[in-house]
Amino acid sequence: MAISIFLAMNLVRVALLSGTGEATYFQADYALPPIFLWAALRLRAPRWFAAIGTFLLSLLAVCCDAVLVIGRRFRWGPDALPQYLQGYQDLPWSVIVPTAALLLAGAALVSLPLGLKRRRPFALWPLPTLLVVLLAIDTQIGTSRFRDGTAGINLITTAIPSIAPIYLNGAVQGGSLQTFHRKTMYSDVDRHNPPPQILSISLESFGLAREPNRRAALIEPLIRELGGLYKVEQGAHDYFGATLQGEVRELCGERLFGNAAQDGVLRQLSQCLPSQLRRRGYDTVALHGNGGRFYSRWAVYPAMGFRQSFFYDDLAAADPAVTACPETAFNAACDERVYSRAIGLFDGQKRFVHVMTLDSHLPVLDAEPGSCSSIFAENSSLCGYAKLLQRSLAQLGLALHNAKVQPDVVFIYGDHAPPFASELARKVFSAEAVPYLILRKRNPDQDRQPSTANDAAARVVQ
């Protein structure tokens, strides 16, 4: 019966992924629920305890699936998992809980008839045998090119040669930083003579579209709203890891491995750009519409040198209009509200303000392809993503245009490529680089020549 539950849960998972373009793969993580159930029954534990424990382990497996299976395409390792689970209150439970319940219901429907026919006790031995076989197969596939074409990542049996070093570094050492020897915002800012007012925008899941017309379409709302106030420079940065890794890359010029909240990492973050600017007399402020516990930003931002950090509770307390943003994955503030607060901080004094956006965080709600332009209409997830990203950039452009005091330079960059479940949507974007835009305020005596998104897209560094 144990093996039937395991197989049934995986079959339901395969069904849920059908139509996404993914090559599915059995997940050994889903062996945890039947193993727990077997142990609870053998120990004669109360049935409510066995049921709750089995369901919670199913939730854990689904969470790991969500973080690792999709993220594998974009070089997220298991070291990202503790950071995601530490922000458990911010995960998209509206997706995870029904999925876990559906997996368990499917497993029960398949395995219950088998259990009724068996008179022997609940047997576990077939399951470890299957796991040993999967471990051997998984390790072998992990060293072959075939692995890159699959969606499967098993937290338990994940490919040892490719991921174990990263995992051990994060789990044993607790986290570390390595110098990122490539162009970032950290290298773009002249720290000997920085502009007085700098705005940093880490744009969630801002991917580098492979086709120039898609790149232009994504940023066109921003360019339109700016009305020629800024000169626009565009290019691409190599990236590594998930969201916080993207912030550390751009703000510190470092690659983050493991948990950033470890004491050793926090001490090294004192060399980040905000700390350097603060020592030069800048006021430094960070804003994020999500909770401060997610990715331990409540500790990471001050270590980077931000004098003050504003998260959802802080923003909501100061502005009654700040409420949970609809049509997004998290119970957090809309980008529009965060932009308004951030840009309102500029008053002509030396100031560095950083915003981590959230609206375009995946998963996004699907949108009818007919509601998007033809270049984003081939996939409902891609259409929904494009609409959210364009909306966020339009709101940023409008906030900049209407600001009483406009920052001298605005850095906008993607944290990582959008980790779509659909291979069709994922192939629209580069898996190695993310875009950046640098907006430099025009001098008052210069004629404002309106920039176009096509002009900016043509200057992308390939």
Side-chain angles (χ1 to χ4, degrees):
M1 187 174 176
I3 195 170
S4 66
I5 294 176
F6 170 73
L7 293 175
M9 293 183 74
N10 275 282
L11 288 173
V12 174
R13 177 183 175 275
V14 169
L16 291 175
L17 288 176
S18 64
T20 65
E22 287 293 341
T24 57
Y25 191 73
F26 279 109
Q27 298 294 301
D29 300 351
Y30 295 101
L32 294 175
I35 287 175
F36 175 84
L37 180 60
W38 174 85
L41 293 177
R42 292 298 294 265
L43 295 174
R44 300 184 183 277
R47 288 186 177 274
W48 63 266
F49 177 80
I52 292 176
T54 303
F55 180 69
L56 291 178
L57 285 173
S58 299
L59 281 180
L60 177 62
V62 174
C63 288
C64 296
D65 227 354
V67 174
L68 295 178
V69 174
I70 297 174
R72 173 64 171 87
R73 289 283 189 164
F74 298 97
R75 292 175 280 173
W76 301 356
D79 57 308
L81 186 62
Q83 298 172 14
Y84 267 77
L85 295 183
Q86 283 173 12
Y88 65 90
Q89 73 282 352
D90 296 313
L91 288 174
W93 293 108
S94 60
V95 175
I96 292 174
V97 174
T99 301
L102 187 59
L103 287 170
L104 280 178
L109 288 174
V110 173
S111 59
L112 183 59
L114 298 175
L116 292 175
K117 291 182 180 180
R118 297 177 62 91
R119 296 185 178 275
R120 291 184 299 170
F122 186 68
L124 184 67
W125 67 265
L127 191 55
T129 303
L130 179 62
L131 291 180
V132 170
V133 174
L134 284 177
L135 175 60
I137 295 175
D138 194 58
T139 303
Q140 178 59 36
I141 291 176
T143 60
S144 71
R145 294 178 61 188
F146 175 73
R147 184 68 178 188
D148 293 332
T150 66
I153 290 293
N154 300 316
L155 181 62
I156 299 173
T157 65
T158 197
I160 295 173
S162 59
I163 294 183
I166 298 178
Y167 178 76
L168 291 174
N169 186 53
V172 178
Q173 298 183 17
S176 64
L177 296 176
Q178 295 181 7
T179 301
F180 194 73
H181 296 288
R182 289 179 175 84
K183 181 181 172 68
T184 64
M185 182 182 72
Y186 180 83
S187 62
D188 283 334
V189 174
D190 181 0
R191 289 185 290 281
H192 297 290
N193 187 30
Q197 300 175 100
I198 307 171
L199 176 62
S200 160
I201 305 289
S202 183
L203 192 57
E204 174 62 48
S205 299
F206 183 25
L208 180 65
R210 298 181 187 277
E211 298 176 8
N213 62 333
R214 294 185 193 266
R215 293 197 295 265
L218 286 175
I219 68 171
E220 190 276 333
L222 170 70
I223 303 298
R224 182 181 64 248
E225 294 292 349
L226 288 176
L229 287 171
Y230 288 87
K231 298 178 182 179
V232 181
E233 173 189 337
Q234 190 178 15
H237 288 167
D238 292 339
Y239 81 93
F240 170 85
T243 301
L244 186 61
Q245 280 86 353
E247 291 181 274
V248 172
R249 180 194 73 229
E250 298 291 335
L251 294 172
C252 310
E254 302 281 348
R255 291 176 61 165
L256 168 65
F257 295 90
N259 190 349
Q262 298 293 321
D263 290 341
V265 176
L266 293 177
R267 286 193 294 269
Q268 295 181 67
L269 292 176
S270 63
Q271 298 305 312
C272 293
L273 180 62
S275 289
Q276 296 186 27
L277 292 175
R278 190 174 178 182
R279 290 193 287 269
R280 296 180 65 89
Y282 283 71
D283 185 36
T284 56
V285 182
L287 302 95
H288 182 44
N290 207 344
R293 288 170 291 178
F294 203 47
Y295 278 115
S296 301
R297 287 187 176 92
W298 64 273
V300 172
Y301 280 170
M304 284 181 170
F306 289 108
R307 178 189 63 83
Q308 194 170 14
S309 302
F310 294 98
F311 301 108
Y312 178 77
D313 290 342
D314 308 305
L315 297 168
D319 182 1
V322 174
T323 58
C325 192
E327 301 179 356
T328 58
F330 294 95
N331 185 28
C334 292
D335 290 349
E336 182 178 22
R337 296 293 180 184
V338 183
Y339 290 148
S340 176
R341 180 68 179 274
I343 295 172
L345 294 172
F346 290 101
D347 56 3
Q349 303 301 312
K350 295 169 69 174
R351 203 174 301 278
F352 178 79
V353 179
H354 169 68
V355 172
M356 179 69 235
T357 74
L358 195 62
D359 284 7
S360 50
H361 195 295
L362 272 69
V364 297
L365 294 179
D366 291 347
E368 289 296 329
S371 65
C372 287
S373 61
S374 59
I375 57 175
F376 294 113
E378 69 265 41
N379 182 280
S380 57
S381 295
L382 181 62
C383 176
Y385 161 83
K387 292 176 71 172
L388 282 176
L389 194 69
Q390 289 170 327
R391 183 186 75 178
S392 182
L393 285 173
Q395 292 166 347
L396 172 61
L398 184 62
L400 287 169
H401 190 274
N402 294 335
K404 293 182 180 179
V405 177
Q406 291 149 345
D408 299 298
V409 62
V410 181
F411 292 90
I412 306 170
Y413 47 89
D415 53 351
H416 54 76
F420 288 104
S422 166
E423 186 177 16
L424 177 65
R426 204 166 47 241
K427 285 184 175 179
V428 170
F429 301 93
S430 169
E432 291 80 33
V434 289
Y436 73 82
L437 295 92
I438 303 177
L439 313 180
R440 302 187 192 278
K441 191 175 179 181
R442 295 180 183 274
N443 293 328
D445 56 347
Q446 288 181 319
D447 292 331
R448 289 183 179 175
Q449 300 294 331
S451 300
T452 68
N454 284 320
D455 291 339
R459 294 191 292 272
V460 172
V461 177
Q462 299 293 339

